[in-house]
Every structure is written in structure tokens, then in C-alpha cells.
Amino acid sequence: MNEETTTIVIDNALATGSVTALDPEERKLQELALALRADAPVPDEDFALRMNARVSAGFPRRKRIALPRFAVARPRFTAIAAAASLLIALVIGVSLSNRDNGTEVAATSGGAPAELRDEASAKSAPAAPQRAAAGGATEQSADSVASSPPIVGPIPPTDNFVGGRNRRVQRSAALTLAAPEDDLSQVGDQVIAVTDRYRGFVMRSTVTSAADGQAGGSFDLRIPVRTLRPALRDLSGLADVKSRTENADDVTASFVNARTRLEELNAERRGLLRRLEKAITEQQAGAIRARIRLVNVQIESAQSSLKELQRRTSYASVSVSLVPKDEGSGGGGGGISDGARDFRDSLVDSANVALRVLGVALPIGLVLGLLIAGNAWATRRRREAALDA
Amino acid sequence: MELNAPLTALNTVESFEELYRRTFPRVYAYVASLLRDRSSAEDVTAQAFERAYRKRSGFSARRGTPEAWVFGIARNAALDELRKRKRRATLESEPADLWSPGPDEEAERAFQRDEVRRAIASLEPRDRDLIALKFAGGLNNVEIGRVLRLSESNVGSRLHRAVEKLRKACE
């Protein structure tokens, strides 16, 4: 007898309440099925009456000490919620901690480089001139030169986004802003205000009104490199940004060469002064003095080059162009285009908010879902274990 | 309302009462077969119906028949009771007063019943659970599959094996 036959034979017997099969084996099975059903325990009459009454009354609750419902009815859910909260707090804590660490690193590279440079230079300074003289504008030689005793004054720290913290990077940016024609002058004033706020200076500025021809303006600014990013952010916020470009040129090699040249000239001057002290004849002394004057001129020139390089790497050149905003063609069309733009912006903002909410809700939901599923699985396993022999 | 009409929702007291009337003796029989103790069986049956009553709005016909749903709740309650007992190490205790023979029961019939009971007692708990769902609970294989989270064919296979063991034990 196979599984299917067994089921059919048993179900027939249970449905009819009698032995219907002809086959002796099947008859035995049906007799067993009926015996099993007949042997099923029957509830006491008293119990059945009590149950009937309770069902009719809708299972009235017994009075208990008033505890919070969630604590009484759902202790497991409370535990899950507590575990999920802890997990989320842990995740947030770890992420915040990582962010703090990142800030510290950024601050180290921008805010406190001098001490680090001095410490590093103590080991590598003696070999630096030779390496630099050999024309090796490598990271190591740049470190050595930057950390050697200052010749032309302290070097301001830079926001080096290209490479190592001692590299010399010349940065520039160009920004094209579009503002309504009537506001061009006002935006121009704000460009200057932003420049002042970040301790920069305006090299050149031009604002042309519509009466003089094509309205517009241009500004040539110098912004301290360390504040370039916030300055660009503020400038970009003054009007609609049509274009924005940023350049970074590594001038470490030129810087090292200029510094090495200055050191060599200083060394030569010291040598000439020593020779002057030892000069015997007036003719010899005159020749040496002439040479010293020549070296002095060369030193001034080298210092000037080095200062120029320092200035170029300390200040970023920022070019701002102001152009009138295209108000749209066709009389009265501006309102519609503005409305459409606002509508688009609102959609983008809504999508951003929705994405952020989703970004938070999704992991929390996943964690909660996993915890609930895990709890259900564990409970089922525990229950089923009661049937293990 | 027709007594055997299928229930699809339990959101009214009347529909729950109908389900109760249909299933109460069978749920008790199943629980008592599993626990083998009248007093515990009564407690667990009452508890199961109370839980079902409180959760009745959460019943969904997509997850099976109301009968299978009530039996699932009763089974969980019975297994919880078994776990408690296991902690007290009395899981395999003999039934005390579950089956009391009637005064005029024939000797032959009584002998046959004892034989069946001994055979059932010799089964593994999981097989006993299946046999109880089928014969005391009166569920079909699909409903048993819902309760045990097994496929219908799997239930058929297990039932076949359990019945074979029973037959051998009775011989």
C-alpha cells in the first residue's frame, strides 16, 4: 500500500464512519483509523459548559495589576525594540566616531602642519639640498626643503588636495554667475564682500550696466587657499552658477629649485665673505667685493622668485564672471519658466528628503524585520524541540 | 447560517462562535492526545480559544482555513505546555484519567483500545502529534500541512509511515 492509497483509505473510513474497503489490508487500516478516532478524548461536560459560557461572554479579562500593556502583552517585542534601538544607536555612534576621526585628519593636514613638518625635517634636512640640487623634485625632497629652516619667512599652510601636505600647489578657479540684469551691480558688491570676508583681495573688477552696452561684470580675485572652498561655495550662492572650473598645478619642483638656488647663493656669499677677510691685497679685496655685489643681486632675485611662488601657492586666483540671466523669450514667459523651475526644484528637494528618509528607514526596517523573523524562528525551534524524543 | 459553510473571516463574534462550535471537541481531543493529561488539556484548550478570540481580526483566509488556524494556535499552546513539563522532567508521564472506560464497555473492545493506546504511546512524539491532528483533530492533509508548515505530499508520506508503525505495533 502506497502513501496515496493510505490517505484515500483512511479518509474514506473517516468520512463514512465505516469500513468500506474490500481488500483485507485496507480494511485493517480502516478499522485502525476508526478505532483511533473513536479513542479520541472527549471533553467533560462541565468543561464544555464553562467554555461555552466564556465564549458567549467574549472571554472577559481577569483583573490584573495595571502594568503598561506593551510590557505585559509583548515582552518579546519590547526586547526586540530595545535591541534594535541599541543596534541603531551603535551604528550611529560608530558612524559619528568615524566622522570625528575624519575631521581630525583634515584638521591635521590643514591646521597644524608646522609642528609635523618640523618634526619630520629633523631627520631628513641635511640631505635635502643635495637631492634637490640633483633635480629630484620628489615628494621626499619637497618634504626636506619645506622642513629646513625658513629663509624668507614662515610658509603659510595650504589646503593641499593634490597630494602630500608639503607639496606646493597653485590653484585657480573660474566661476560664471548669472543674475537678473537689475541685480548685477548688487551681486558684484556681494562678490567683493565675500572676498573681504575670507581675507582675500580684488585684483581687478568691472561691472557694466545695460545702458553702456552688454550688461555684465568680471572680477579677478585672490583668495587664501585654505579658505578657497568655503569662498567658492559662498560665491556660488550669490546667483545661478552657469559654470565653475577649478585648476590645481603642482609647482613643488619649481619651489624646491628656487629654494635650493637661494641656499646655494647664500652659501657662496658666506664663502666670499670669508675670502674677503683673508684677502691680502686691495685688488683681491675689490674683486671679491664685486663678486659679493653680484651674488647679493642674485640672492634678491632668488628671494623674489621664492616669495612670488609662495604668494601663488598661498592665494588662489579666482575669476568671477557676471552675466545677465536669461529671463526667457516671449512677453510674460518668465513667470512660467520660473514656475517650472520652482516645480522642478521642489520635486528634486522632495526626492532628496524621501531618499534620506528611506536611507534611515530602510536599514532600521531591515534590522527590525530580521530581528522579528529571527525571534519567530527561534520561538518555533524552541517549541518544536518539545517534540524531540 | 449553514453549519459546514466555510468561514473566510472571523471579525464578528458570531463567526468566531461558529468556529468554536465546529472545532472545540476536536481541539480538545487533539490537545489531550498530545498532553495526555485531562487537566492540562482543559487549560491549554481554553487558553488556545482565548488567544484565537483575541487574535481573530488577524486571521487571513490566505493562510489557510480557520480550523487549521485554530489548531495552529492550540498546537503552539500545547507545545509551550510540553516545554514547561520538560523542564519539570515529566514529559513522558502516563495518562492518569484521560480515558476512563465506561461501565458497560465490552471486554473485547476495551482490550482493543488498550492495544491502540499502547501502540500510540510507542510512537515518537512527532508521529504522535501527526496522528493526533489526523484522527483526534479530524484535519485533512492540507490543513495538517498548514499547521505543521509542511506540504500536503510530505504530510501524506509522514502519515503513511506513522500508520505503518502503528499497525506493526498493534500486531
Side-chain angles (χ1 to χ4, degrees):
Chain A
M1 202 181 307
N2 62 20
E3 297 159 10
E4 200 177 341
T5 316
T6 303
T7 303
I8 292 168
V9 167
I10 290 172
D11 285 348
N12 275 340
L14 294 178
T16 57
S18 60
V19 177
T20 54
L22 298 173
D23 181 72
E25 282 292 306
E26 292 180 1
R27 287 183 72 84
K28 272 188 182 176
L29 182 59
Q30 287 191 327
E31 281 168 6
L32 179 63
L34 291 173
L36 284 168
R37 190 170 71 174
D39 202 32
V42 181
D44 269 356
E45 215 168 291
D46 285 351
F47 173 57
L49 287 173
R50 272 186 279 127
M51 276 298 291
N52 291 347
R54 288 189 70 190
V55 172
S56 299
F59 290 98
R61 290 179 188 277
R62 298 183 188 96
K63 283 187 180 176
R64 291 180 184 176
I65 300 166
L67 286 173
R69 193 176 168 183
F70 68 90
V72 176
R74 296 272 183 194
R76 283 193 196 125
F77 187 78
T78 311
I80 289 169
S85 304
L86 272 175
L87 191 69
I88 291 160
L90 192 71
V91 168
I92 291 170
V94 168
S95 66
L96 283 177
S97 164
N98 286 343
R99 193 179 295 172
D100 289 347
N101 289 343
T103 310
E104 279 171 23
V105 170
T108 304
S109 63
E115 297 83 359
L116 294 174
R117 280 198 200 115
D118 290 344
E119 192 179 332
S121 67
K123 298 169 189 168
S124 55
Q130 288 85 344
R131 281 202 299 272
T138 61
E139 182 73 33
Q140 198 174 3
S141 64
D143 280 353
S144 305
V145 172
S147 59
S148 59
I151 298 168
V152 287
I155 302 160
T158 57
D159 184 11
N160 300 320
F161 64 89
V162 170
R165 61 176 181 270
N166 290 320
R167 300 198 77 83
R168 299 290 164 178
V169 180
Q170 186 179 336
R171 302 180 68 178
S172 63
L175 205 59
T176 304
L177 301 175
E181 207 166 306
D182 295 342
D183 296 343
L184 280 178
S185 175
Q186 191 187 343
V187 173
D189 292 344
Q190 287 172 341
V191 168
I192 293 168
V194 169
T195 309
D196 288 343
R197 195 187 315 147
Y198 288 102
R199 300 178 185 277
F201 50 91
V202 181
M203 296 288 286
R204 183 182 55 81
S205 71
T206 313
V207 177
T208 311
S209 65
D212 302 323
Q214 177 65 41
S218 65
F219 297 83
D220 187 9
L221 313 173
R222 295 291 179 272
I223 306 281
V225 166
R226 75 179 79 172
T227 59
L228 180 61
R229 289 214 177 273
L232 284 177
R233 185 194 59 217
D234 287 4
L235 288 170
S236 301
L238 296 178
D240 289 351
V241 178
K242 287 284 182 189
S243 69
R244 175 173 163 168
T245 54
E246 287 183 59
N247 291 317
D249 293 329
D250 192 332
V251 293
T252 310
S254 307
F255 192 85
V256 170
N257 286 342
R259 241 176 142 157
T260 308
R261 172 72 181 144
L262 186 60
E263 282 177 353
E264 285 171 351
L265 287 168
N266 277 325
E268 186 180 351
R269 188 171 181 275
R270 284 194 296 275
L272 286 169
L273 287 172
R274 280 196 296 274
R275 280 173 58 194
L276 185 62
E277 284 173 4
K278 293 174 185 172
I280 300 164
T281 64
E282 190 58 33
Q283 193 180 1
Q284 280 178 335
I288 291 169
R289 283 197 195 95
R291 179 64 191 153
I292 287 174
R293 280 195 293 275
L294 188 63
V295 169
N296 281 344
V297 171
Q298 287 174 331
I299 285 174
E300 278 178 23
S301 169
Q303 282 179 336
S304 166
S305 300
L306 199 57
K307 278 183 179 172
E308 174 60 16
L309 272 174
Q310 282 181 333
R311 190 189 61 73
R312 277 159 52 192
T313 53
S314 300
Y315 284 87
S317 169
V318 178
S319 166
V320 179
S321 300
L322 283 182
V323 294
K325 199 173 181 177
D326 185 11
E327 299 285 354
S329 55
I336 292 170
S337 66
D338 281 351
R341 197 179 308 112
D342 288 348
F343 176 69
R344 186 199 63 199
D345 291 347
S346 299
L347 278 180
V348 170
D349 288 346
S350 302
N352 281 337
V353 170
L355 277 173
R356 285 177 189 183
V357 169
L358 200 66
V360 174
L362 203 64
I364 291 174
L366 275 174
V367 168
L368 277 176
L370 283 173
L371 282 171
I372 289 168
N375 184 50
W377 179 83
T379 305
R380 194 159 163 254
R381 293 280 297 174
R382 278 199 301 272
R383 276 191 180 131
E384 295 291 332
L387 288 176
D388 290 336
Chain B
M1 191 184 288
E2 194 188 337
L3 191 66
N4 291 323
L7 282 168
T8 53
L10 297 172
N11 46 5
T12 63
V13 174
E14 290 76 20
S15 55
F16 182 82
E17 280 189 13
E18 191 200 335
L19 175 68
Y20 164 77
R21 278 196 300 275
R22 278 186 192 181
T23 55
F24 169 65
R26 292 190 281 140
V27 168
Y28 172 81
Y30 164 67
V31 171
S33 300
L34 208 60
L35 298 179
R36 304 158 64 77
D37 172 55
R38 187 175 291 278
S39 170
S40 299
E42 288 182 357
D43 287 347
V44 168
T45 305
Q47 202 179 74
F49 275 106
E50 184 169 353
R51 275 189 205 170
Y53 180 79
R54 307 248 179 263
K55 291 179 176 179
R56 67 189 187 281
S57 58
F59 167 74
S60 166
R62 283 178 302 174
R63 288 190 288 178
T65 61
E67 284 82 356
W69 177 70
V70 165
F71 271 88
I73 292 173
R75 183 171 184 267
N76 285 344
L79 293 186
D80 287 342
E81 174 63 22
L82 279 179
R83 278 172 58 212
K84 278 186 214 164
R85 275 198 211 171
K86 213 171 187 179
R87 285 201 287 270
R88 297 195 298 262
T90 56
L91 176 63
E92 297 299 329
S93 63
E94 282 298 311
D97 56 346
L98 195 55
W99 292 277
S100 46
D104 52 351
E105 195 171 25
E106 295 169 23
E108 175 64 21
R109 201 177 178 82
F111 177 74
Q112 194 182 12
R113 281 195 174 185
D114 283 347
E115 216 172 33
V116 170
R117 283 169 201 165
R118 268 200 304 276
I120 290 175
S122 70
L123 291 178
E124 287 178 9
R126 285 184 192 281
D127 289 336
R128 224 163 51 211
D129 182 26
L130 187 64
I131 293 290
L133 281 170
K134 182 73 183 176
F135 298 102
L139 298 183
N140 61 38
N141 289 9
V142 178
E143 289 170 330
I144 294 173
R146 287 283 184 184
V147 175
L148 299 181
R149 300 191 186 189
L150 297 171
S151 66
E152 186 186 355
S153 61
N154 202 345
V155 170
S157 306
R158 286 181 56 181
L159 187 67
H160 175 73
R161 286 200 297 272
V163 168
E164 283 299 312
K165 283 182 200 171
L166 259 183
R167 286 174 65 181
K168 280 178 188 166
C170 286
E171 281 170 5

